[in-house]
Amino acid sequence: MVLIVVFGTALLVAVLLSGLAARSVLSTSLLFLLGGALVGDGALGLVHIHPGSPIVAITADLALFTVLFTDGQHVSFPSLRAAWRNPVRALGVGMPLAFAGMAVITHFLVGLDWTTSFLVGAVLAPTDPVFASAIVGRREVPARLRQLLNVESGLNDGLALPVVLLLIAMAGPTAGGADASLSKIALELVGGLALGVVLPLVVALLVRVPLLGAEPKLQPLLPLATGVILYAACHLTHANPYLAAFSAGAVLASVSPESKKTFEPLGEALAELSKFAALLVFGSLLTPGLFGDLSIGGYVAVVLAIVLIRPASLLVSLAGTGVDRREKLTAAWFGPKGFASVVYGLLVLQAGIPHGRQAYTLIAVCIAFSIVAHSSTDVPIARMFDVEDLVGIPDDDPDPGGDRTAVGGVAAAGGGPARGETSDDARAPMPAADTKETGDARI
């Protein structure tokens, strides 16, 4: 109950400060992270959570699943077919370079063996632009950049997971059910993809049955029910839930755009709540002892991971693409470590491998530093693209004749379309790329 009270209080404060956060470096994600650290054992000791607590794995798992499910609904297959090269470069070149680069600095600066160093690199390779919502959630930002960050973050979680599991198995004796094999991992990935594709198709067919149909007020619950069933089915069958979530969201938006449209406000709200809950729980693990356990070399590795490894790897992957220099630099910087890295870091810790705790300490500190750095710089960098209108906040001097969107999706007096209903002329080339408009509670 103490944790619930703290969560409610942090949520209230976050909403009240969201207007200020939208115009400054203040981040509501950081607020929940610091709130968790304040009430945890490292400070006030109001809640007692350790990395092995079930609530840690559950909240991180749910948050990642929910965010990927909603992210997938913003993937536009026509736009992706027209502009697939940059995301493929980021995933096929940039991600392996970041993975290898992180392994090298971990080995030489932290002193971990090569297998564990590559494991750290695999855990920290996935990116999570949910902490860069001022970039991803704005139509003014070039659609090519938004698509690149969205597709990359949606797919690299599933791509990193089999590598993480294999390296855990290779790192040494593991505890209990942490064993993995290539065939088992492949089966889990195929199962997740199959469930993520088949279940939304079945639901879409059921909706078209003449005798069936949902009341308008219950229509947003249809994708929610699909997601709940999918989450449970993945865990019952040991299919990959993250690949399933992203693919299900994309298929649902493609075969049933009406469902995607009605679910969007609810889905974004659920993604926000799950994200904040996971941040609060993760923050409670950030004790002074955790930071004290990391060596000076570890801190150097964390800084290099954020300011060098990710930026350099993505810039190399985008070399010769013709992407605008400003877009390249923005995409290179926004490689935050998020829920996928939290979940995979917990897998490393709970596997009981040699040097597992040391690896987890490095991973946790890197995630914390990344959240602080990336969620606090998205608004200033977004303004490089001449963004004046902050998401959900009307200008101080509205244009009476302009088409503007008001808070909550209600069209302004000028007669403009509501949120999510922007006209084709006003929309960037990627129709479904207006993602995470409240991704960092910048309301």
Side-chain angles (χ1 to χ4, degrees), residues 22 63 89 94 112-113 164 214 256 295 310 327 347 356 363 399 407 429:
R89 279 174 171 260
L112 296 178
D113 61 89
V164 170
S256 183
S295 64
R310 157 67 185 191
E327 293 180 38
L347 289 178
I363 291 166
D399 178 8
V407 177

Side-chain angles (χ1 to χ4, degrees), residues 198-208 222-223 226 229 252:
V198 172
L199 185 57
L201 291 177
V202 171
V203 172
L205 290 176
L206 290 174
V207 170
R208 289 173 171 79
L222 190 64
T226 304
I229 295 172
L252 182 66

Side-chain angles (χ1 to χ4, degrees), residues 84-123:
W84 55 268
R85 290 180 177 82
N86 292 340
V88 168
R89 279 174 171 260
L91 292 167
V93 179
M95 186 178 175
L97 285 176
F99 164 54
M102 190 64 209
V104 170
I105 64 173
T106 298
H107 177 72
F108 288 107
L109 294 177
V110 184
L112 296 178
D113 61 89
W114 277 112
T115 302
T116 308
S117 296
F118 275 105
L119 177 58
V120 171
V123 169

Side-chain angles (χ1 to χ4, degrees), residues 61-144:
D61 184 52
L62 278 172
L64 181 58
F65 182 90
T66 306
V67 169
L68 287 175
F69 185 66
T70 54
D71 280 0
Q73 296 183 36
H74 295 294
V75 172
S76 169
F77 285 116
S79 297
L80 189 58
R81 285 195 296 268
W84 55 268
R85 290 180 177 82
N86 292 340
V88 168
R89 279 174 171 260
L91 292 167
V93 179
M95 186 178 175
L97 285 176
F99 164 54
M102 190 64 209
V104 170
I105 64 173
T106 298
H107 177 72
F108 288 107
L109 294 177
V110 184
L112 296 178
D113 61 89
W114 277 112
T115 302
T116 308
S117 296
F118 275 105
L119 177 58
V120 171
V123 169
L124 294 176
T127 58
D128 192 350
V130 72
F131 297 118
S133 58
I135 297 294
V136 181
R138 296 175 186 269
R139 295 184 183 93
E140 299 91 337
V141 175
R144 177 173 55 188

Side-chain angles (χ1 to χ4, degrees), residues 307-320:
V307 303
L308 177 63
I309 300 300
R310 157 67 185 191
S313 61
L314 196 72
L315 287 175
V316 170
S317 71
L318 295 179

Side-chain angles (χ1 to χ4, degrees), residues 3 29 47 51 57 68 91 139 148 164 173 177 192-193 207 225 267 285 289 292 326 347 352 395 414 442:
L3 189 62
S29 293
V47 295
L68 287 175
L91 292 167
R139 295 184 183 93
L148 168 61
V164 170
L193 181 62
V207 170
L285 301 177
R326 187 170 51 176
L347 289 178
D395 281 345
R442 303 185 185 281

Side-chain angles (χ1 to χ4, degrees), residues 170-358:
M170 294 169 57
T174 57
D179 295 330
S181 64
L182 185 59
S183 59
K184 180 181 178 182
I185 293 170
L187 187 61
E188 290 176 352
L189 292 173
V190 172
L193 181 62
L195 284 174
V197 172
V198 172
L199 185 57
L201 291 177
V202 171
V203 172
L205 290 176
L206 290 174
V207 170
R208 289 173 171 79
V209 174
L211 295 179
L212 301 179
E215 286 187 78
K217 66 179 181 180
L218 295 181
Q219 286 179 356
L221 300 183
L222 190 64
L224 177 61
T226 304
V228 171
I229 295 172
L230 181 65
Y231 180 80
C234 287
H235 283 276
L236 288 173
T237 60
H238 302 288
N240 186 328
Y242 311 128
L243 184 59
F246 190 80
S247 57
V251 171
L252 182 66
S254 177
V255 300
S256 183
E258 304 83 5
S259 295
K260 180 256 182 182
K261 182 178 178 181
T262 58
F263 176 69
E264 187 170 14
L266 175 61
E268 296 292 350
L270 290 174
E272 286 298 300
L273 288 174
S274 62
K275 180 189 77 171
F276 288 151
L279 283 173
L280 188 70
V281 172
F282 178 65
S284 68
L285 301 177
L286 302 178
T287 63
L290 178 76
F291 289 97
D293 289 341
L294 190 62
S295 64
I296 297 298
Y299 281 102
V300 175
V302 166
V303 174
L304 290 178
I306 296 173
V307 303
L308 177 63
I309 300 300
R310 157 67 185 191
S313 61
L314 196 72
L315 287 175
V316 170
S317 71
L318 295 179
T321 59
V323 176
D324 179 79
R325 178 174 176 269
R326 187 170 51 176
E327 293 180 38
K328 284 183 181 179
L329 293 175
T330 302
W333 168 244
F334 283 110
K337 316 306 173 189
F339 300 122
S341 296
V342 172
V343 174
Y344 301 162
L346 292 172
L347 289 178
V348 172
L349 182 64
Q350 294 165 0
I353 61 174
H355 310 296
R357 180 164 292 277
Q358 191 176 358

